[in-house]
Amino acid sequence: MTPVLYVLVLVALGLIFGGLGAAAYAGLWRSWRGRIVDHFVFGWFWLGLTLLSMALAASFVRTPVFGLSFVFAFCAVVTGSLGFWVILMGLPRWLRPRWYRVAQER
């Protein structure tokens, strides 16, 4: 596969996972509740951001603004760590959206 294809695959997967996670965070997609483990869906958002950051970091490697790839690589490390932490350890209260906290209290 060519490097451009890798970047396109990362962007596509990042949009899919990030979009599903963003829809869950926004409360637009609530039907998953009760069928899928809760923290998995919220972790998808952070892993989607990780993939998008990786794609941006890879796209700036051979350009005059090479330093931006370090910024996006750092963002990928931070969001990836947060995503895996949410999936493995659960969602901390400060990362839960308001609609989810209200639904849990019922």
Side-chain angles (χ1 to χ4, degrees):
M1 285 181 24
T2 64
V4 174
L5 192 56
Y6 282 123
V7 170
L8 291 176
V9 168
L10 286 174
V11 168
L13 289 174
L15 289 175
I16 290 169
F17 281 106
L20 289 173
Y25 262 107
L28 300 174
W29 179 42
R30 297 183 187 189
S31 64
W32 58 267
R33 213 165 162 257
R35 285 190 258 154
I36 302 174
V37 179
D38 296 347
H39 51 272
F40 280 177
V41 177
F42 293 121
W44 289 346
F45 172 72
W46 298 106
L47 294 179
L49 286 181
T50 302
L51 293 172
L52 290 173
S53 296
M54 288 170 57
L56 284 170
S59 66
F60 285 117
V61 169
R62 292 194 174 128
T63 63
V65 288
F66 176 70
L68 281 178
S69 68
F70 290 114
V71 173
F72 287 116
F74 178 74
C75 290
V77 169
V78 171
T79 57
S81 300
L82 186 59
F84 280 117
W85 182 56
V86 166
I87 287 176
L88 295 176
M89 303 302 286
L91 191 65
R93 182 161 176 78
W94 56 274
L95 271 179
R96 293 177 189 158
R98 181 181 306 160
W99 73 265
Y100 184 74
R101 287 192 305 257
V102 169
Q104 272 191 327
E105 291 171 1
R106 289 182 197 165

